[in-house]
Each structure stands twice: as C-alpha cells, then as structure tokens.
C-alpha cells in the first residue's frame, strides 16, 4: 500500500471520529466536545492535505483525474471552508451538520477505484486544474450553504413554534445564519459561473465546440439557474430566511446529483 | 365588621368594561367620598389601574353592602348593572383579606411578580387615608398587605418572574437578530410590562425607539424617557415598516394589526425579519401574523411558557407565596377577632380584677393586724372603686357605635391590654 493510500485511510478515520463526535454533540454538547471535534477535523484535514500532495507528486498532475480523487478533493474543500467559517464566526453546531456530509462523501470516495492512471490526452491541459478547482471550491461553498440552510430551518422551527428547548440555545441566531448562507452563495455562484465558462473554453480547445449538451453540462446549468434564482429573488424581492434556506438545500441536492448521479445514471464525457 | 372586596380585573372583564368602571382623575376623589357616604360602608378605598378596578370596604353586612355598592357603581359610571355584574367578583371576610394580599403580592397580576402593583395599592390607600375614608380596619389591612407583599418578595422568587419574561424577550431577540445594536424598536401603547420589556431592550443596545400612543402627549413623555421619538397613532402603520422589534400593549378591544396589513409591511421592508411581542389582553395583534415568513410573534403567555421551562420550581415558589399569605391572613384574623368588644370587656375586667387582687395581697402583708371584718370592708372598697372606674368604658364598648373599632383599639392602648397579634 502506497503512502498516499495510508494517508487517505488516516484522514478518513479522523473524519469518521469527528462525525461521531459531531452527532453526539447534538445530544449533549460542551466546550470540550466541540474542541475535540475541531481537533479531529483539523487532524483529518492535515492528513487529507498530505494525501492530496502525495498523489500530486506521484502522478505529476493535479489529483482530480477520476471520481475517487475528485470526491476526495471535494470533501477536502468542504472541510477547509468549514474550518474557516468555524475560525471566523464560531458557529456552534455547524460541524454537526457538515462533518457527516464530509464523511459520507469521503466514504463513497474510498469505495471508488483509487488507481492512479495516466491522464488521457484530452485531459492533459492546464484547464484541468483551473476548471476543476473552481468547480469544487464553488460546490464546497454550496455544501456549507446547505448545512447552514438546515441549521436555519431547525432554528426557525424553534422560534416559530415557540418551543425553545433542544438545540435552540446552542444554534446561532437566524440573522447570522441567513447572512452566512447568502455570503456562501455569493462566493459559490461566481465560482460555478467561472467553472462553466472555463469548461466551455476547455471543451472548445479539446473537442472543438463550446457546448455539447453533455448531461454534466446540462445539470451544471440547472444548478447555475437555481443559485441564480436564489440571488435574484433575494436582491430584487428581498426573499430571505426560510425560502433562501430551502432553495440552498435544494441547490446542493442538485449539485450532488450533478456530481455523482450523472456519472452513475447518465452517460457523460466527464469522468467525474 | 367585615372586609369586603368588589372588583373587576383583566381576567374577568374586557378592557371596555374596565375602562367604563375606572376611577380616573377627579372621578377617584368624587367616587371615594361618595362611597363613604353610603350607609352600609364604614370605610372604603379604591384601586383603579389599567388592569383592575377594585373597591376595598369595611362593612357590617357584606350582602347588603355589596348590593348597595353595585347600585352605586351603576349610577356613578352610568352603566347598567347587568353589563358589569357578570364580570364582577365579590369577596367577603377572610376571602377578601386573602384577595387583597394576593393582589399586593402580585400573584393576581397579568404577569405574576410584576412590581408596580404594590406601589399602586399603596397610592390607593394613601389617597383614601388623605380623604379620611378609611379607619382602623382598612389601615391595618393596608399595612398588612404591604408587609405581606414584602415578605413574598424577599422570601420567594416570584418577583423574578416579570424580570425573566423581559429577559426571555431579549434572549429571543438575540436569537433572531444576533446583535440588538442598531436595531429599531417600536413601543405600541403603554403599560407596566411593556415598559419593563422596553427598558431591557434599550439596555441591550436597541437604538431607534419609536413610541406610539393614542394620546400623543403621553407618547411624547414615554419617548423622552427612552430618548426616542413619538409617533402619532394614525401614522403607526407607516412607521412600523422601520421597526425590527415591536412591543404592543394598547388595551384595544380588538386587533390593531391584521395579517394583510403585515404582509404589506413585510413587502415594504423587503422581508427583513420582525420580532413582535403582544403583551395586550385581549390580544391586539392577529395571531395569524406568525405564519408570515420572517415574522415572529410572541404573546405574554408564550413568553411565560418560555420562562416556565422550570415549571416545578415556579410552582414551588407560588406555593411558598400562598403559604406566606395564609400565615399573614391568620395573623390578621386574630387581630380582627381581638377587635371584637366582648373579649376586650373581659380583658378589661380581668385587668382590673388582677390589680385589685394584687393590691389587697400587698395590704394584707403590710397590715397583718387587720381582723376579718375590717378586711372585708377594704375588699369592698377596692371592688367598688374598680367597678366605678371600668363602668363607663364597658358601657361605651357595649354600645354599637360607629367608631367602636377605634374605641376598642384605644381602650386597649390606654389600659395596656395585649391581645393583639405578634
């Protein structure tokens, strides 16, 4: 077993432990549990980063060449953004809504073929790095918006129904959740837009046409429309709060489908 | 002599009835004096606040007196008896005493534990005292009501309730807005609880304060207190668009803010969240409003429920308070009983008899040479003297005069007869 695989297993184990602590935290959270969870997540993140670097060194190209690598990189981006938000805003319980998602994506990644294959000539282009990194950082922002959206709905339910038990005290305020949700989408949306544009440019240079109605392209476009609607109604009509949260949850489900579903169900030129 | 309480409060009567029965401004003096003139009423005091109107009286026959007072209320306020009789509660004797103690201890308040009621009771009695419509009984009752309320406040945690309700409102606001700094706030109407909650919000950083009141002048006064601006009643729908937090306590009989109106407001404020607290009884804001996105409506009962998460502890405190009241009632009863003339006459005789016996005893040891006949003559002399001395007060006590209670108290004091409580 290569060093990069061992690093991957270690990262996966740390994420697993972090996810367990996160779920436990929902039931009984203290300062200590959240510190433990963060330490586990940071450790996982560092091993994960070493794994990606190791793969880069070994293969000689950015390790986003198959579905295993792509989903691994995707979850790494999510953890990165999560840790950043945690550092910046100290949103209690965000981990409980994000780390399980990270773990599930990592787990699916671990079950996919991990072999490092030489890149097919079509993919050998500087576009590979630019297009995929933009797409995954954008998607990671949407993943966080998804987690925040769920937190918003839970907290909103407490406030609306006037039952202030359970997680009410530990969840952040509605306003901050709504603001961060909006911020994340304003980060994710331009990145997604750029990813689609760079993808089109790359397609032109590789296959000679910008847009080929490939299922991946179509679903990316649907995703783009959903988030465009979220931003549009917010800026024009002032839709915020619950509706924005629901849309961002829906948006991320489409992102996940675009990412995994299209590959398994529909045939696509994209290997991931 | 019995204590009689007649009244309406927020639980038994609508705002409209309460307002019509209220003794406002000059009506208070006029009413108290007129009530005192009634044949059946020996002493009287009137409490009139926005949540309750109560008459405290000292009467001979509770049934006759309450009939008479009801007629008086109908005539004085120009309202038919049938209109308010159903909302009226009448307590006589120990029940009346208990009621007064519960009111002063704020157990009967809309928000249990709110501190203003004690001051209002004090004012009511002091006013009656100044107008000389009270006597021994009501004066004692007032003193007791105040000391009982103070005991309840210091020995139980009931008083924390009102504070914790405003605290809960602030906590909730923080879970909606994160930070109250820079948020704007509208106080719709007035009232003790509303002002208490408003003060808590302002202390937590709320900045722009708007005060809306049906009487613009009153609004201005309150606005000054919060360093805000007064808004005319007609303009409140236009101004509510700018409010992030609204506390409503107008005392209107119906809704002052409907769902359709609020939907328009939300459109105008581009769906920015609003936190509305409706303290009014009956409610002034359509509960349906809570269904609108980004609108969070809480009534006092909702806040009370939030506070009540520790129901057991609160019940315990209430029980403790009721126990204190029961204790104080017993003391008051004992004092009342001691007011009755028969025990006083007995005590007076006993006292005289004790003095006679003591003095004869002393004489016997000082002049052992006295024979039986001489001794008998001396004994007779002593008995005659004390009998002659206590005869007039005994007659006075037996007479059913109007100031008998005062007389009893005075005689006890003059002759140093104990038999009072404590």
């Amino acid at each position: 077993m290569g060093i990069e695989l061992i690093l991957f297993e270690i990262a996966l184990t740390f994420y697993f432990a972090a996810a367990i602590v996160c779920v436990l935290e929902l039931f009984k959270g203290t300062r200590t549990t959240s510190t433990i969870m963060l330490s586990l997540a940071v450790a996982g993140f560092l091993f994960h980063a070493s794994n990606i670097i190791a793969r880069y060194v070994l293969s000689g190209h950015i390790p986003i060449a198959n579905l295993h690598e792509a989903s691994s990189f995707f979850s790494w981006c999510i953890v990165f953004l999560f840790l950043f938000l945690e550092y910046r805003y100290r949103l209690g319980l965000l981990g409980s809504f994000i780390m399980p998602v990270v773990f599930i994506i990592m787990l699916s990644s671990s079950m996919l073929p991990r072999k490092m294959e030489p890149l097919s000539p079509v993919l050998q282009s500087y576009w590979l790095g630019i297009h995929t990194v933009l797409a995954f950082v954008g998607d990671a922002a949407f993943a966080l918006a998804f987690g925040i959206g769920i937190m918003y709905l839970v907290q909103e339910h407490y406030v609306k129904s006037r039952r202030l038990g359970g997680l009410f005290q530990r969840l952040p305020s509605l306003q901050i959740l709504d603001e961060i949700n909006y911020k994340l989408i304003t980060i994710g949306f331009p990145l997604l837009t750029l990813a689609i544009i760079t993808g089109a440019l790359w397609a032109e240079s590789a296959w000679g046409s910008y847009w080929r109605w490939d299922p991946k392209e179509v679903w990316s476009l649907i995703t783009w429309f959903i988030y465009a609607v979220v931003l549009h109604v917010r800026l024009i009509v002032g839709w915020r709060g619950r509706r924005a949260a629901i849309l961002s949850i829906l948006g991320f489900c489409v992102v996940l489908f675009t990412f995994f579903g299209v590959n398994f169900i529909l045939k696509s030129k994209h290997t991931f | 002599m019995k204590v009689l309480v007649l009244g309406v409060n927020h639980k038994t009567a609508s705002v409209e009835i309460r307002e019509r029965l209220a003794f406002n401004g000059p009506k208070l003096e006029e009413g108290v004096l007129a009530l005192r003139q009634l044949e059946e009423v020996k002493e009287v005091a009137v409490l009139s606040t926005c949540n309750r109107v109560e008459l405290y009286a000292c009467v001979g026959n509770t049934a006759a007196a309450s009939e008479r007072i009801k007629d008086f209320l109908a005539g004085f306020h120009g309202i038919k008896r049938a209109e308010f009789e159903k909302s009226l509660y009448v307590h006589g004797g120990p029940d009346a005493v208990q009621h007064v103690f519960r009111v002063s201890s704020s157990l009967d308040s809309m928000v249990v534990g709110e501190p203003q009621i004690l001051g209002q009771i004090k004012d009511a009695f002091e006013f009656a005292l100044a107008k000389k419509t009270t006597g021994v009984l009501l004066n004692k009752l007032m003193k007791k009501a105040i000391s009982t309320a103070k005991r309840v406040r210091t020995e139980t945690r009931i008083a924390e309730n009102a504070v914790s309700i405003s605290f809960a409102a602030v906590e909730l606001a923080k879970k909606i807005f994160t930070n109250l700094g820079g948020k704007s706030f509208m106080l719709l109407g007035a009232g003790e609880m509303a002002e208490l909650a408003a003060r808590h919000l302002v202390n937590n950083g709320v900045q722009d304060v708007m005060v809306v009141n049906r009487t613009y002048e009153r609004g201005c006064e309150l606005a000054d207190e919060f360093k805000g601006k007064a808004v005319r009643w007609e303009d409140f729908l236009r101004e509510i668009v700018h409010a992030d937090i609204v506390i409503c306590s107008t005392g209107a009989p119906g809704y002052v803010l409907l769902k359709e109106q609020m939907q328009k407001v939300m459109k105008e404020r581009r769906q920015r969240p609003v936190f509305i607290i409706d303290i009014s009884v009956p409610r002034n804001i359509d509960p349906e409003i809570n269904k609108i996105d980004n609108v969070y409506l809480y009534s006092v009962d909702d806040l009370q429920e939030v506070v009540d998460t520790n129901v057991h502890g609160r019940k315990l405190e209430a029980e403790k308070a009721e126990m204190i009241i029961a204790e104080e009632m017993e003391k008051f009863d004992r004092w009342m009983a001691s007011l009755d003339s028969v025990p006083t006459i007995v005590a007076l005789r006993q006292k005289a008899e004790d003095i006679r016996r003591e003095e004869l005893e002393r004489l016997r040891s000082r002049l052992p040479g006295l024979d039986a006949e001489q001794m008998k003559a001396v004994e007779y002399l002593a008995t005659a003297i004390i009998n002659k001395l206590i005869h007039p007060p005994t007659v006075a006590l037996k007479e059913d005069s109007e100031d008998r209670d005062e007389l009893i108290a005075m005689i006890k004091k003059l002759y140093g007869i104990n038999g009072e409580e404590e």
Side-chain angles (χ1 to χ4, degrees), chain B residues 321-347:
Chain B
E322 298 286 0
M323 234 138 78
I324 292 173
I325 287 174
E327 264 176 51
E328 296 296 326
M329 270 176 67
E330 214 183 288
K331 287 185 196 165
F332 189 79
D333 271 356
R334 248 183 285 145
W335 178 81
M336 283 255 296
S338 78
L339 270 188
D340 225 350
S341 58
V342 179
T344 311
I345 295 170
V346 173

Side-chain angles (χ1 to χ4, degrees), chain A residues 14-15 19 30 68 79 120 124 126-127 158 175 182 216 260:
Chain A
F14 272 115
Y15 288 154
T30 61
H68 161 69
V79 178
S120 65
Q124 282 176 9
Y126 57 93
W127 287 119
Y158 282 120
Q175 191 187 15
Y182 174 60
K216 200 81 162 190
F260 290 109

Side-chain angles (χ1 to χ4, degrees), chain B residues 369-422:
Chain B
L370 288 181
D371 60 30
E373 204 161 318
Q374 285 169 320
M375 197 61 211
K376 215 172 178 182
V378 174
E379 265 178 41
Y380 176 77
L381 171 77
T383 311
I385 292 177
I386 65 153
N387 275 347
K388 288 231 157 96
L389 268 177
I390 64 172
H391 180 70
T394 309
V395 172
L397 279 172
K398 280 183 178 163
E399 260 173 45
D400 196 9
S401 71
E402 226 175 59
D403 52 355
R404 193 173 63 174
D405 293 339
E406 275 166 66
L407 202 63
I408 291 171
M410 216 174 294
I411 285 173
K412 282 183 169 173
K413 205 169 177 187
L414 288 176
Y415 287 95
I417 301 169
N418 296 319
E420 263 207 41
E421 29 59 281
E422 280 150 339

Side-chain angles (χ1 to χ4, degrees), chain A residues 180-191:
Chain A
I180 295 175
N181 181 285
Y182 174 60
K183 263 185 205 159
L184 285 166
I185 292 173
T186 54
I187 294 168
F189 184 71
L191 290 175

Side-chain angles (χ1 to χ4, degrees), chain B residues 69-82:
Chain B
I69 291 174
K70 282 182 205 167
D71 284 336
F72 167 82
L73 285 176
F76 186 76
H77 292 295
I79 172 172
K80 285 201 194 87
R81 260 183 73 154

